[in-house]
Amino acid sequence: MDSSRIPFMIFPKTEGCLPSFHIVLLSELVWKLTLSVKTEAKKALSTSAFPTSSVTGLPPSSTQLNYFQQPQKIKKSDFSVFLAQYGGPSFIPSSQDQPSPFAFYRAGDPIQTYFAASSVLSTLRQPVGMDANGVCIDGNPAGFLVSKSTSCIRTFTNLSSSCATDPALDAASYYRDFTILKVPVNTTDVKLMQVSIAPVTQPGAPQMDGNTCHSVVHEVIYEIEFNGTHGIQSVSVQFKVTNVSGSSLQQRFTLHFWSGTSLYTLPRSGNPGYIIGAPLLSLNSGARQHVTILQSQGNGICSQTLRYKVQFGMNVRTSCHFSILQTMMDGSCSYLQEKLYQALEGVSSPQALAITGSAQPTQTDQWTSILMWNCSMQAANCASCCMIPVSLKIQVLWAKVGLQSNPQTQVLGARYWYQCQSLKSLSMTMVPLTTVVAFTDMTEWPESPRSQPSTYWKVPFDFFFPFKVALSGGISCQGDLACAFLMTFMLFSILSF
């Protein structure tokens, strides 16, 4: 019998040891079965996705080993073919080019700029601080609808050279020689979509005087007005300058976005009456907006971008210091007054207040005018004085109107009361400003309704005449229990009726 074809052997049960020829046959069978198992295992490993070094018999370039393939060698004759397929700034084939930009900015998209002199498209930058030292990185793009402030440190190895050549220190580099694009466009549409940047003030170029660099940009504030998918409508920029004599300077960059179509974006503050705690609504140039007042930064300086929203029925008081730039001091009195009015009232000064929380700008009867008492009225006795506002008190009169079961809160009137001081009495570069908002309830509650009238008993004039006769002796009931019971019963029946 061929033992290689026998999967196993059955030996009869015998006493003692197996015969010698049986032992030889069994060992040969075990050796052949082990060899067969090893052969099958090698075949399985050769086709596995995870080859091991124990597998032999396959070349290193075999695809069964799942190794990275060697790149194809490019010859001189094939170079033009590959260049046509992969040429460009990246190795993406022409069929996989990125899609064209959207027709409008989305939140977070980089804001495009255009340099007309060189016909170059770029993006508006908002420098940020990197690493532990907060060194300025100028390549950070500004995101659309991302209102935020960043700060960073600029270091100078040669202050004299940086003062004359570094564009980051010159205010003109933040608005001159380039424009903002309303929406993302191609180069063919740039001329129709440019928005110029209007500087609120125009500081001079940095100049070196001794060891000090003067008129260095310390803070940049962009105010960007947008109109939904119509993109950016206007851009203005403000600067704060300082003098530098050391080897470093901290700069601050702020972007603030605001909508010129607040009529369609602002929610109602009640329907119809105001809800306590809802924003107070005002009207400016036909657009509905929130009434805002000064808000202080962490260092006590008045914020140029953040403002506190006035909430209906909530009295509030804010104070901060407003820095007067040298350009404001050198300008006219009216220019300084305008800047302080804008700081107290906001960029868009309110013209009227909404009577109800659901007032529509097209309905003139739903708005009440604001009474103004400004500095020009207080300077009537001093024609040569320059009176500037230092405090604003907003007084709002309101009342509950309608049914007592469901009264509606309405604004009856408002007044902006300014307290002014002469500019001569302020020999400082920081002006303390204060804003107070006071709500006064003018509700006149009616008399409470009367309760149900009480029962008033009135009996006829001679009602008790029969009883008087009986008691006077006309009817004798002395000793008669039945008579007394009868009289009691009659009296009880009459009274219960």
Side-chain angles (χ1 to χ4, degrees), residues 92-207:
I92 301 176
S94 58
S95 59
Q96 302 179 14
D97 287 342
Q98 298 298 323
S100 59
F102 286 88
F104 53 87
Y105 288 115
R106 298 175 300 172
D109 286 350
I111 300 174
Q112 292 187 1
T113 59
Y114 179 68
F115 292 82
S118 55
S119 300
V120 173
L121 283 174
S122 183
T123 56
L124 184 65
R125 307 295 181 178
Q126 186 177 12
V128 294
M130 297 295 289
D131 64 43
N133 298 323
V135 178
C136 290
I137 300 298
D138 296 323
N140 179 58
F144 182 68
L145 295 185
V146 181
S147 297
K148 66 177 183 179
S149 297
T150 60
S151 60
C152 58
I153 303 295
R154 294 196 185 274
T155 57
F156 314 108
T157 56
N158 187 344
L159 181 59
S160 178
S161 176
S162 299
C163 184
T165 60
D166 193 348
L169 307 182
D170 189 0
S173 64
Y174 295 95
Y175 67 92
R176 193 176 296 171
D177 299 331
F178 72 95
T179 56
I180 303 293
L181 298 185
K182 291 183 178 180
V183 294
V185 295
N186 298 322
T187 55
T188 56
D189 303 324
V190 166
K191 295 182 179 180
L192 302 178
M193 296 297 175
Q194 299 183 53
V195 178
S196 300
I197 302 177
V200 177
T201 58
Q202 297 184 11
Q207 295 181 358

Side-chain angles (χ1 to χ4, degrees), residues 259-315:
S259 174
T261 58
S262 56
L263 166 64
Y264 306 102
T265 58
L266 286 184
R268 294 177 297 188
S269 295
N271 187 22
Y274 274 102
I275 299 175
I276 301 298
L280 184 64
L281 301 179
S282 63
L283 186 68
N284 181 276
S285 300
R288 187 171 58 183
Q289 61 186 15
H290 292 153
V291 178
T292 60
I293 59 176
L294 289 171
Q295 182 171 340
S296 174
Q297 298 178 358
N299 55 2
I301 305 298
C302 297
S303 175
Q304 300 290 334
T305 57
L306 302 177
R307 295 184 63 83
Y308 179 82
K309 292 182 181 180
V310 177
Q311 299 175 349
F312 184 85
M314 303 294 180
N315 299 334

Side-chain angles (χ1 to χ4, degrees), residues 465-478:
F465 178 74
F467 304 101
K468 293 180 179 180
V469 173
L471 295 176
S472 63
I475 301 177
S476 178
C477 291
Q478 296 180 359

